[in-house]
């Protein structure tokens, strides 16, 4: 009988999880910096670090679990399906190559979806 693991067994797996988190945060920061630079901010780096996702009131939150929009939910599900299919249907070097290319692309796309959602929400609040 096989038991499911709750936490990684070795340091390599922890580095992989940490790398995914860093890639997501770096992508969000780069997108915020680029947006601030295009908008003509005097200090785009400082503006990018100060860029926070707006807090939403209870009435405006979409009822899709922890996700704020159906695009975020569908993007997460599609990324999870792709990673699961690669992990289940491949092995060896092919699996390693696909995981090293598809996982970073999925993480960057999810960060982009989150950034766009936050930017759209900020622009919508500015008009009212």
């Amino acid at each position: 009988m096989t038991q499911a693991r709750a936490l990684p067994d070795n340091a390599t797996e922890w580095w992989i999880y940490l790398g995914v988190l860093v890639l997501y945060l770096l992508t969000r920061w780069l997108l915020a910096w680029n947006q601030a630079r295009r908008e003509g901010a005097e200090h785009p780096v400082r503006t990018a670090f100060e860029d926070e996702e707006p807090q939403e009131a209870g009435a405006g939150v979409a009822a899709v679990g922890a996700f704020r929009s159906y695009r975020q939910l569908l993007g997460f599900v599609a990324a999870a399906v792709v990673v699961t299919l690669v992990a289940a249907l491949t092995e060896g070097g092919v699996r390693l190559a696909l995981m090293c290319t598809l996982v970073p692309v999925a993480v960057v796309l999810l960060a982009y979806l989150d950034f766009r959602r936050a930017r759209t929400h900020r622009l919508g609040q500015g008009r009212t």
Side-chain angles (χ1 to χ4, degrees):
M1 177 185 250
T2 306
Q3 294 180 342
R5 299 182 293 161
L7 296 172
D9 286 339
N10 59 24
T12 304
E13 292 178 21
W14 282 107
W15 282 111
I16 291 170
Y17 291 136
L18 182 62
V20 168
L21 178 64
V22 167
L23 178 63
Y24 176 84
L25 293 174
L26 183 65
T27 303
R28 284 291 303 260
W29 180 80
L30 285 172
L31 290 169
W33 170 77
N34 191 29
Q35 180 72 26
R37 189 177 53 83
R38 276 190 278 146
E39 290 176 351
E42 189 172 323
H43 300 285
V45 173
R46 191 177 312 158
T47 304
F49 277 116
E50 293 171 356
D51 185 37
E52 293 181 13
E53 202 163 318
Q55 299 297 322
E56 299 179 38
V61 177
V64 288
F67 301 98
R68 294 188 188 107
S69 73
Y70 287 104
R71 285 185 183 175
Q72 285 179 317
L73 175 64
L74 292 176
F76 181 80
V77 169
V81 166
V82 167
V83 170
T84 303
L85 286 175
V86 167
L89 300 177
T90 61
E91 59 185 47
V94 174
R95 178 186 290 171
L96 181 64
L98 289 175
M99 292 297 267
C100 288
T101 56
L102 290 179
V103 170
V105 167
V107 169
V108 168
L109 288 175
L110 288 175
Y112 179 70
L113 281 175
D114 289 346
F115 173 76
R116 279 195 45 179
R117 166 79 180 56
R119 183 183 64 187
T120 303
H121 184 72
R122 270 193 307 273
L123 292 176
Q125 277 185 337
R127 292 182 193 153
T128 57

